[in-house]
């Protein structure tokens, strides 16, 4: 099972690595609110990746087909949530956020759960997992639970590894961000998230 695990690890890394709204959110939170908040944000995305990986790995076709059929509604919900996050980020007070969120269990849970929700509302994720698993011959039947579990664990750890590296490297620059720079960081990152939201809401 080691070769399958390593391939699933690479899949998790490759799907998480492209910089999109989740990457922007992770970078902004790591700089403005601390390394731990950035990491927890990434772990939320890794959890959602693992869920979609489980759907693809366990061969749960009926769930994947349902998600694909509901792609329009999922994109609408995700787009609205991205717009909300973008506006909220642009209006947030950097000094207050940096002082409270990293030490708050509620704040960490909010960072985690919001990213899980945001990632799950992206129907392209499940399509990516189904296509990659099938293309590499990693898709399993429902009886092969052990192999599927190994794939899901590999996907989760690969995605989590990427977010750990990203949040850790970005947090190294946190000391260079004074309140004024953090204010501009919030404005720029919030604007980018808002643009991603508008794009998601645009008809294809």
């Amino acid at each position: 099972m080691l070769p399958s695990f390593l391939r699933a690890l690479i899949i998790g890394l490759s799907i998480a690595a492209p910089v999109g709204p989740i990457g922007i959110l992770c970078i902004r939170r790591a700089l403005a609110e601390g390394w731990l908040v950035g990491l927890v944000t990434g772990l939320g995305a890794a959890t959602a990746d693992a869920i979609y990986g489980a759907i693809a790995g366990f061969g749960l076709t009926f769930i994947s087909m349902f998600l694909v059929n509901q792609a329009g509604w999922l994109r609408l919900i995700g787009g609205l949530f991205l717009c909300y996050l973008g506006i909220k980020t642009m209006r947030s007070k950097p000094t207050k956020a940096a002082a409270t969120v990293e030490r708050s269990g509620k704040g960490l849970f909010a960072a985690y759960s919001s990213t899980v929700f945001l990632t799950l509302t992206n129907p392209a994720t499940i399509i990516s997992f189904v296509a990659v698993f099938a293309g590499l011959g990693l898709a399993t039947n429902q009886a092969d639970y052990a192999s599927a579990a190994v794939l899901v664990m590999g996907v989760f750890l690969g995605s989590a590894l990427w977010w750990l590296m990203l949040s850790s490297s970005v947090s190294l620059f946190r000391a260079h961000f004074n309140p004024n720079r953090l204010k501009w960081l919030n404005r720029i990152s919030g604007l980018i998230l808002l643009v991603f939201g508008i794009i998601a809401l645009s008809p294809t």
Side-chain angles (χ1 to χ4, degrees), residues 74-86 118 197-198 200-201:
L74 290 172
R75 187 168 57 248
L76 173 64
I77 295 171
L80 289 173
F81 191 56
L82 271 175
C83 290
Y84 163 75
L85 282 179
L118 187 57
I198 293 173
L201 293 172

Side-chain angles (χ1 to χ4, degrees), residues 159-181:
S159 181
L161 179 61
W162 165 255
W163 297 115
L164 173 62
M165 292 188 298
L166 180 64
S167 59
S168 298
S169 58
V170 167
S171 65
L172 295 176
F173 298 94
R174 190 185 178 198
H176 300 286
F177 279 77
N178 55 37
N180 186 56
R181 289 181 178 179

Side-chain angles (χ1 to χ4, degrees), residues 12-113:
L13 268 169
S14 61
I15 289 180
V19 177
I22 304 298
I24 296 298
L25 201 59
C26 180
I27 292 171
R28 181 260 164 190
R29 286 177 175 173
L31 285 173
E33 301 168 12
W35 168 81
L36 185 58
V37 181
L39 176 60
V40 168
T41 297
L43 290 179
T47 301
D49 286 344
I51 292 172
Y52 275 151
I55 293 172
F58 281 97
L60 302 179
T61 307
F62 67 98
I63 297 180
S64 61
M65 288 302 297
F66 172 79
L67 292 170
V68 171
N69 290 334
Q70 302 301 317
W73 285 107
L74 290 172
R75 187 168 57 248
L76 173 64
I77 295 171
L80 289 173
F81 191 56
L82 271 175
C83 290
Y84 163 75
L85 282 179
I87 295 171
K88 182 181 178 182
T89 299
M90 284 190 290
R91 299 180 61 184
S92 65
K93 305 295 183 182
T95 53
K96 181 179 179 181
T100 60
V101 175
E102 192 172 27
R103 296 192 297 270
S104 169
K106 182 179 178 180
L108 292 176
F109 177 76
Y112 173 83
S113 58

Side-chain angles (χ1 to χ4, degrees), residues 4-6 8-9 12 46 49-50 53-54 58 133 146-160:
S4 294
F5 173 79
L6 292 176
L9 191 76
D49 286 344
F58 281 97
F133 275 28
S147 297
V150 169
L151 294 179
V152 173
M153 181 60 68
V155 165
F156 175 78
L157 291 178
S159 181

